[in-house]
């Protein structure tokens, strides 16, 4: 398949596919007229790359671990250098911190939404903020507590 079809099937801009090739993450063959040609496995590979990028891994780390990922759901263990292991452990720890932060933010938003709905159900009027009614004492404490981890 040509780059346009791969872009369409994966939801990835052509420019990004070319970048993945430049970074050594994706390979293509060239047809006689010079067009890039990709095999069917490239669809899964691009989705895999995007998932790893979305999780926060930099392309240099993805390039190191991509050979161990034969398909999107399986990891085939090969020997890894101590440097690669240290890099992966750092990235894993960084991802864990991001996940914890996202969970705190999600909880803060949930607390805020619940407080606004409870306030609306009581028929209380407060200060309008983008269409939401605020009860500063209740909602601000809930949001601050959830974001700072003081729940």
């Amino acid at each position: 398949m040509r780059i346009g079809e791969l872009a369409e099937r994966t939801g990835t801009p052509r420019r990004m596919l070319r970048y993945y090739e430049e970074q050594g993450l994706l390979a293509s063959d060239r047809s006689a007229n010079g067009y890039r040609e990709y095999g069917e496995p490239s669809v899964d590979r691009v989705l895999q790359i995007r998932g790893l990028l979305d999780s926060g891994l930099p392309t240099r780390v993805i390039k190191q671990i991509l050979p161990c990922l034969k398909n999107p759901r399986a990891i085939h263990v090969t020997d890894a250098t101590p440097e690669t292991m240290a890099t992966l452990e750092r990235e894993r720890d960084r991802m864990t911190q991001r996940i914890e932060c996202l969970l705190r933010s999600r909880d803060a938003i949930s607390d805020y939404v619940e407080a606004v709905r409870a306030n609306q159900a009581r028929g209380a009027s407060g200060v309008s903020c983008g269409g939401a009614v605020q009860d500063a004492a209740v909602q601000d404490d809930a949001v601050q507590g959830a974001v700072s981890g003081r729940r």
Side-chain angles (χ1 to χ4, degrees):
M1 81 188 82
R2 288 197 187 156
I3 194 168
E5 182 180 346
L6 183 60
E8 185 176 316
R9 289 181 60 186
T10 61
T12 305
R14 294 174 191 202
R15 177 177 236 170
M16 288 305 299
L17 295 174
R18 290 185 197 102
Y19 174 75
Y20 297 163
E21 275 195 63
E22 289 171 13
Q23 297 300 306
L25 304 176
L26 183 65
S28 69
D29 294 321
R30 296 288 181 151
S31 63
N33 58 6
Y35 290 140
R36 287 176 170 85
E37 293 286 338
Y38 298 92
E40 191 62 32
S42 295
V43 173
D44 285 337
R45 179 55 49 118
V46 170
L47 296 174
Q48 197 170 47
I49 293 166
R50 288 184 56 132
L52 293 167
L53 286 168
D54 288 347
S55 71
L57 286 176
T59 55
R60 66 179 168 71
V61 172
I62 294 171
K63 185 175 181 177
Q64 290 176 329
I65 65 170
L66 215 48
C68 301
L69 306 174
K70 300 294 183 200
N71 68 52
R73 302 205 195 315
I75 296 176
H76 300 273
V77 180
T78 61
D79 291 333
T81 66
E83 295 81 16
T84 298
M85 291 303 298
T87 299
L88 291 174
E89 287 168 348
R90 274 192 313 275
E91 291 299 326
R92 180 199 58 208
D93 293 345
R94 191 177 62 75
M95 289 169 137
T96 299
Q97 290 174 344
R98 287 183 62 209
I99 290 167
E100 289 168 354
C101 181
L102 286 169
L103 288 171
R104 284 191 307 271
S105 296
R106 183 206 57 202
D107 290 347
I109 289 169
S110 293
D111 289 347
Y112 180 82
V113 167
E114 287 175 27
V116 168
R117 290 199 176 162
N119 198 26
Q120 289 172 339
R122 287 192 309 263
S125 62
V127 179
S128 178
C129 177
V133 177
Q134 285 187 315
D135 180 349
V138 174
Q139 294 160 10
D140 195 41
D141 285 346
V143 170
Q144 290 304 318
V147 170
S148 67
R150 298 177 289 129
R151 299 199 83 207

